[in-house]
């Protein structure tokens, strides 16, 4: 049996998010163009220090992460850019509370920044910040990415500098996340001193988060010896402008093959100013799934298959000056739309020593040199079908703002207007994230989704636009009216973990442990399966366990007691897999716990 693939391959990124010993996350704001739910879960697990080497984590740690971080973490994304996985764990629906969608009309502009801004608080009340700016979305992509991590402290120190504009950026990000303390967050960030990676010095924050605020595109003052641009997407106007920077014969362009072929066939000849052109494969975000069935042996499963070409998603503009380089890193592609203020983008400008060179040499060394003539003779792939679907996606997202109407456990998706697609021949379907896709009624505004148990209710819906064998499928977070019951998280987690994991979780919390042996991954839909139940054995929590934990740490019982009763009630009410004997055991445990409470809680 093949090992389960990693939930998110970006392990170094996750490791950087982990708090140090004695720290907890007070605040975490993320901005990303697109996201997938496994990446959100991996991020939450990392923020409580519980992600494993595969970028995933145990089910009980997932429950702990949701409980600790629900009011502290927000992930701000472009509407319509939540990836719909082939297999969605039902418990993933509770991740809706961490997602905030920006409603930019992508026909004109996009929410495109890639930021992580995290405040860690230690046991003495001190705060440490991490500020990451780069090219990576919160997805499972394995593309080549680039980012810069800044370490922020309350006190000034050697190698630390102020970063003008970071307070305003933080305040705007917090405001976009719906936080009421945006001004206070901005004020605090203005007092932080930042340290860049070794070999780099901070120069400027290029903040284009707000609408119609352009990024400074001109090169820094002074002569430059050469120019390197790294970007998977290109526009002719940006390249024509950049083609005037630096001396002829010193400009390098590294991009994706489709973008280069497109530019080579433009009448304005935007590539001619670049003496060296190198190509990578297109990044994941340009590739869409089809409705056709997968082959019997996919490349990931066939040991004899050719390796997939390395794809580029990094964004970089480097101005070379003798032994130093002025580097701009972040979310902006080498396009007029990215730098002119149409998109929401953020970049960081640094001065780099020769510490920058190995990374650039790696990017150059892995790329394929290619001439403009070769590019001009390359036939562009026919993407008309997918492009048309993307046009319909953008038209739909711009024209509808659906609401999930709830009457008890019955849900109706109300579009409030007839959904509009760019092409009449496209088929439109929608549904609840944890249910089936349903064809949208022609000229209709409402879709009955039926009855959904509390444990799988979510503000996530799924949407699909199809034409022939091609389809775009994604998820969105929508308003639920009236709001979901506050007990939803408890019902979902209790049902997902099942009885054995609940006992393990309570024991681990009493003992101050992290991951008990044998616990299953958060995204395995195990519930009350026979495998889980058959291994239950002597794993029940006992009065002896409770008293032993209390003797070791008298405060442990009181801390865990706040969660015990609600989860027991949720298990009994919503876990339909419990046998009569298990329900009896759980009621007995509730009585034992109540007896312990009268003796151990003052």
């Amino acid at each position: 049996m093949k090992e389960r693939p990693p939930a998110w391959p970006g392990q170094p990124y996750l490791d950087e998010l982990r708090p140090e010993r004695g720290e907890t996350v007070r605040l975490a704001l993320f901005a990303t163009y697109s996201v997938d739910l496994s990446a959100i879960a991996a991020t939450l697990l990392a923020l409580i220090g519980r992600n494993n080497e595969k970028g995933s984590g145990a089910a009980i740690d997932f429950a702990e992460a949701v409980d600790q971080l629900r009011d502290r973490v927000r992930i701000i994304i472009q509407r319509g850019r939540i990836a719909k996985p082939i297999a969605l764990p039902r418990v993933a629906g509770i991740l809706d509370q961490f997602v905030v969608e920006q409603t930019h009309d992508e026909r004109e502009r996009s929410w495109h920044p890639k930021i992580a801004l995290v405040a860690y608080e230690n046991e003495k009340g001190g705060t440490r910040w991490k500020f990451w700016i780069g090219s990576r979305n919160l997805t499972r992509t394995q593309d080549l990415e680039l980012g810069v991590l800044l370490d922020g402290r309350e006190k000034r120190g050697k190698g630390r500098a102020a970063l003008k504009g970071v307070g305003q950026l933080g305040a705007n990000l917090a405001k976009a996340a719906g936080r009421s303390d945006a001004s206070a967050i901005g004020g605090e960030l203005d007092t932080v001193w930042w340290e860049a990676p070794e070999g780099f010095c901070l120069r400027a924050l290029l903040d284009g988060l707000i609408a119609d605020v352009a990024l400074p595109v001109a090169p820094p003052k002074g002569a430059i010896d050469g120019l390197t641009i790294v970007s998977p997407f290109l526009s002719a106007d940006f390249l024509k402008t950049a083609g005037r920077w630096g001396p002829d014969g010193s400009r390098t362009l590294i991009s994706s093959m489709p973008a280069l072929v497109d530019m080579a066939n433009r009448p304005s000849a935007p590539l001619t100013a670049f003496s060296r052109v190198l190509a990578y494969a297109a990044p994941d975000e340009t590739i869409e799934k089809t409705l056709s069935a997968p082959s019997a042996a996919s490349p990931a499963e066939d040991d004899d298959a050719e390796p997939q070409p390395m794809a580029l998603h990094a964004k970089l503009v480097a101005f070379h000056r003798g032994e130093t380089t002025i580097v701009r890193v972040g979310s902006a592609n080498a396009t007029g739309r990215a730098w002119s203020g149409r998109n929401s983008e953020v970049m960081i400008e640094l001065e780099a020593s020769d510490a920058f060179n190995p990374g650039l040499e790696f990017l150059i060394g892995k790329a394929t040199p290619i001439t403009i003539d070769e590019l001009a003779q390359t036939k562009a792939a026919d993407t008309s079908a997918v492009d048309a679907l993307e046009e319909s996606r953008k038209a739909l997202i711009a024209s509808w703002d659906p609401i999930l109407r709830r009457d008890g456990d019955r849900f109706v998706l109300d579009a409030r207007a007839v959904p509009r697609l760019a092409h009449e021949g496209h088929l439109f379907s929608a549904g609840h994230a944890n249910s089936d896709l349903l064809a949208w009624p022609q000229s209709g505004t409402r879709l009955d989704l039926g009855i959904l148990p509390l444990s799988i209710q979510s503000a996530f819906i799924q949407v699909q636009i199809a034409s022939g064998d091609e389809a775009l499928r994604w998820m969105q977070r929508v308003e639920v009216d009236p709001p979901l019951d506050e007990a939803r998280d408890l019902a979902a987690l209790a049902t997902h973990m099942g009885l054995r994991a609940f006992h393990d979780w309570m024991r681990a919390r009493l003992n101050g442990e992290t991951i008990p042996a044998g616990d299953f991954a958060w995204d395995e839909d195990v519930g009350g399966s026979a495998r889980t139940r058959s291994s239950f054995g002597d794993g029940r929590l006992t009065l002896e366990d409770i008293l032993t934990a209390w003797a070791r740490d008298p405060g442990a019982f009181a801390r865990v007691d706040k969660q015990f009763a609600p989860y027991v009630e949720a298990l009994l009410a919503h876990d339909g897999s419990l046998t009569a004997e298990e329900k009896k055991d759980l009621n007995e445990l509730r009585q034992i716990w109540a007896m312990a409470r009268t003796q151990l809680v003052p």
Side-chain angles (χ1 to χ4, degrees):
M1 180 181 294
K2 290 188 178 291
E3 190 176 357
R4 295 173 67 249
W8 192 26
Q11 189 68 15
Y13 179 92
L14 294 179
D15 284 347
E16 291 296 343
L17 296 178
R18 291 171 66 98
E20 294 180 356
R21 183 179 294 274
E23 288 183 333
T24 56
V25 170
R26 173 165 62 86
L27 168 72
L29 300 174
F30 296 85
T32 178
Y33 174 68
S34 57
V35 74
D36 67 48
L37 299 187
S38 64
I40 295 178
T43 299
L44 297 179
L45 288 162
L47 289 173
I48 66 165
R50 302 284 183 84
N51 61 309
N52 60 26
E53 70 280 357
K54 297 180 181 180
S56 185
I60 63 172
D61 290 327
F62 175 76
E64 185 76 11
V66 171
D67 186 63
Q68 285 190 30
L69 301 173
R70 61 167 47 93
D71 295 321
R72 304 181 185 188
V73 176
R74 289 296 180 269
I75 300 167
I76 310 161
I77 71 163
Q78 171 67 43
R79 173 174 285 182
R81 296 294 173 176
I82 305 175
K84 176 65 173 72
I86 296 174
L88 177 70
R90 290 189 166 192
V91 73
I94 68 175
L95 296 174
D96 56 1
Q97 61 198 289
F98 298 102
V99 175
V100 178
E101 290 191 332
Q102 287 292 304
T103 59
H104 293 358
D105 182 347
E106 285 205 81
R107 295 172 297 184
E108 301 296 332
R109 61 191 307 264
S110 298
W111 173 264
H112 200 251
K114 284 82 173 167
I115 300 170
L117 184 61
V118 187
Y120 304 87
E121 195 167 70
N122 61 36
E123 295 168 335
K124 296 181 180 180
T127 299
R128 178 175 67 95
W129 289 85
K130 284 190 176 182
F131 184 23
W132 182 89
I133 303 172
S135 64
R136 180 167 193 146
N137 292 303
L138 276 178
T139 64
R140 294 174 294 177
T141 177
Q142 297 186 50
D143 297 340
L144 287 172
E145 304 281 3
L146 185 62
V148 174
L149 180 67
L150 307 180
D151 182 74
R153 306 280 175 163
E154 297 170 306
K155 295 182 179 180
R156 187 172 187 174
K158 184 179 180 181
R160 299 190 178 277
L163 183 59
K164 184 179 179 181
V166 68
Q168 187 62 59
L169 174 68
N172 288 335
L173 199 61
K175 184 178 179 181
R179 292 188 63 101
S180 60
D181 57 351
S183 296
I185 291 171
E188 181 179 354
L189 283 167
D190 277 332
T191 67
V192 174
W193 297 91
W194 301 93
E195 182 178 9
E198 186 176 356
F200 294 81
C201 294
L202 284 172
R203 281 177 56 93
L205 177 65
L206 312 184
D207 180 7
L209 197 68
I210 302 303
D212 300 321
V213 176
L215 298 174
V217 68
K221 293 181 180 180
I224 60 175
D225 303 330
L227 171 73
T228 300
I229 294 177
V230 180
S231 174
F233 303 102
L234 306 170
S235 73
D237 55 348
F238 185 92
L239 294 184
K240 294 293 283 188
T241 299
R244 297 190 290 269
W245 301 339
D248 290 341
S250 66
R251 304 183 194 99
T252 297
L253 177 63
I254 306 173
S255 187
S256 65
M257 192 66 176
L260 291 170
V261 170
D262 179 28
M263 293 297 107
N265 287 280
R266 295 293 182 98
S268 59
L271 298 181
T272 55
F274 293 86
S275 56
R276 184 166 56 163
V277 178
L278 302 105
Y280 277 96
D284 281 352
E285 68 183 39
T286 65
I287 301 171
E288 300 290 350
K289 295 183 177 67
T290 68
L291 290 176
S292 56
S295 61
S298 68
E301 298 170 341
D302 186 355
D303 293 336
D304 296 326
E306 289 293 324
Q308 294 295 306
M310 192 171 290
L312 179 74
H313 195 248
K315 287 91 168 159
L316 165 75
V317 181
F319 303 94
H320 305 291
R321 290 176 164 178
E323 296 182 356
T324 64
T325 303
I326 305 301
V327 184
R328 293 172 181 169
V329 176
S331 64
N333 286 295
T335 65
R337 174 165 164 159
W339 290 81
S340 66
R342 291 174 61 190
N343 280 359
S344 293
E345 308 275 7
V346 177
M347 303 285 282
I348 190 79
E349 183 177 277
L350 308 103
E351 181 174 319
S353 65
D354 56 7
F356 168 74
N357 297 333
L360 184 60
E361 290 168 1
F362 174 85
L363 282 173
I364 292 173
K366 293 294 183 180
T368 301
I370 194 164
T371 67
I372 296 175
D373 287 342
E374 289 172 330
L375 289 168
Q377 295 171 17
T378 301
K379 184 179 180 181
D382 182 8
T383 61
S384 57
V386 172
D387 291 344
L389 289 172
E390 187 61 44
E391 290 170 2
S392 279
R393 185 216 299 252
K394 291 177 180 178
L396 174 68
I397 294 298
S399 64
W400 83 325
D401 186 16
I403 292 179
L404 270 177
R405 306 286 185 188
R406 183 173 71 87
D407 182 6
D409 290 337
R410 176 171 286 279
F411 286 77
V412 173
L413 184 58
D414 183 1
R416 298 186 285 179
V418 177
R420 298 199 302 269
L421 305 181
H423 300 274
E424 291 185 0
H426 290 168
L427 303 177
F428 175 46
S429 305
H432 189 268
N434 279 324
S435 189
D436 297 326
L437 271 174
L438 303 171
W440 193 271
Q442 189 172 6
S443 301
T445 61
R446 295 167 70 93
L447 182 65
D448 188 351
L449 305 182
I451 294 175
L452 298 170
L454 180 62
S455 61
I456 66 169
Q457 291 176 14
S458 174
F460 287 140
I461 62 169
Q462 57 176 317
V463 185
Q464 179 175 281
I465 300 174
S467 177
D469 288 338
E470 300 286 345
L472 296 184
R473 191 171 181 178
W474 70 94
M475 295 171 60
Q476 286 183 233
R477 189 193 189 284
V478 299
E479 179 186 348
V480 182
D481 182 35
L484 296 175
D485 193 299
E486 292 182 357
R488 187 278 308 262
D489 286 7
L490 287 173
L493 290 168
T495 301
H496 179 65
M497 288 194 301
L499 185 58
R500 171 60 186 269
F502 171 73
H503 279 263
D504 285 344
W505 186 29
M506 291 295 103
R507 182 182 293 103
R509 296 216 65 200
L510 285 170
N511 294 331
E513 299 169 358
T514 55
I515 303 175
D519 189 36
F520 59 90
W522 79 271
D523 52 355
E524 289 184 51
D525 273 326
V526 177
S529 68
R531 178 174 70 83
T532 305
R533 189 176 296 122
S534 64
S535 62
F536 192 68
D538 296 327
R540 294 174 177 83
L541 188 66
T542 66
L543 179 60
E544 182 180 357
D545 293 326
I546 297 171
L547 295 176
T548 300
W550 178 83
R552 185 185 302 111
D553 178 6
F557 182 86
R559 291 194 298 270
V560 180
D561 185 46
K562 297 176 182 178
Q563 292 174 312
F564 178 83
Y567 270 89
V568 168
E569 296 299 329
L571 273 168
L572 290 170
H574 302 289
D575 191 347
S577 67
L578 292 179
T579 66
E581 185 65 25
E582 287 169 336
K583 290 181 180 179
K584 178 183 176 182
D585 288 346
L586 197 54
N587 278 310
E588 289 177 355
L589 175 61
R590 181 163 55 178
Q591 294 172 7
I592 292 172
W593 193 277
M595 181 173 60
R597 183 187 297 116
T598 61
Q599 299 297 319
L600 303 180
V601 178

